[in-house]
Amino acid sequence: MSAAEVLGQLRRFLLVLSVLLFAGALIELWLVGHTEDRIQWLAFGLAGLGAIAAMAVIISPKQATVRILRVCMSLVMLGSLFGIYEHLAGNIAFEQEIQPDATTAQLISRGLEGGNPLLAPGILAVAAVLALSATYRHEIKK
């Protein structure tokens, strides 16, 4: 097996793994009821967008699909950071209601430990990085 074939298999593996992570995130979001507010639906949209973009490159690894994937994964990573912020802000707001006299340090500490899992939105960023890694120095067919 040539180096190019091995690299192609590695690229497909990373893209398939990314799609599986996005699909798993969609399932988990649905199972935990991440549907209470409009803003929570953003995670569904980002996971769906990421899965579709990665599948497009698996099916047709052309210049246009690789460029679209790169843009989509950048959006997914930004959305993931926004999700982490939203989870932290929600935890801090909840703690502030419970203990209005808490210091800022106490609120931040409790916000990091709160009920909204702080790193859960990070799985979208991990999936995006895997997909982006699959396109590193990608020789693109026109």
Side-chain angles (χ1 to χ4, degrees):
M1 187 178 291
S2 72
E5 291 172 327
V6 171
L7 185 57
Q9 286 183 343
L10 177 60
R11 289 184 194 285
R12 276 188 299 283
F13 171 76
L14 291 172
L15 288 167
V16 168
L17 185 57
S18 177
V19 169
L20 292 173
L21 285 171
F22 283 127
L26 284 167
I27 292 167
E28 183 179 10
L29 287 166
W30 185 258
L31 290 175
V32 300
H34 203 269
T35 57
E36 294 174 8
D37 298 325
R38 279 183 164 179
I39 197 77
Q40 289 182 329
W41 285 95
L42 182 61
F44 284 94
L46 291 170
L49 177 69
I52 290 168
M55 285 189 294
V57 174
I58 291 169
I59 294 167
S60 178
K62 295 183 179 177
Q63 187 175 20
T65 54
V66 169
R67 285 190 177 149
I68 290 169
L69 176 127
R70 289 175 177 164
V71 169
C72 290
M73 295 308 150
S74 297
L75 291 173
V76 169
M77 286 193 291
L78 286 172
S80 180
L81 290 173
F82 178 70
I84 291 170
Y85 165 78
E86 282 291 305
H87 280 210
L88 179 61
N91 287 344
I92 290 173
F94 178 75
E95 288 298 326
Q96 204 167 23
E97 284 182 28
I98 293 174
Q99 295 185 359
D101 296 332
T103 65
T104 302
Q106 290 171 327
L107 289 174
I108 291 172
S109 174
R110 291 191 181 114
L112 293 171
E113 302 167 354
N116 294 325
L118 191 60
L119 295 180
I123 193 66
L124 297 179
V126 170
V129 167
L130 287 173
L132 286 172
S133 298
T135 68
Y136 179 70
R137 291 191 175 185
H138 196 282
E139 292 183 18
I140 302 170
K141 303 172 194 171
K142 292 191 178 191

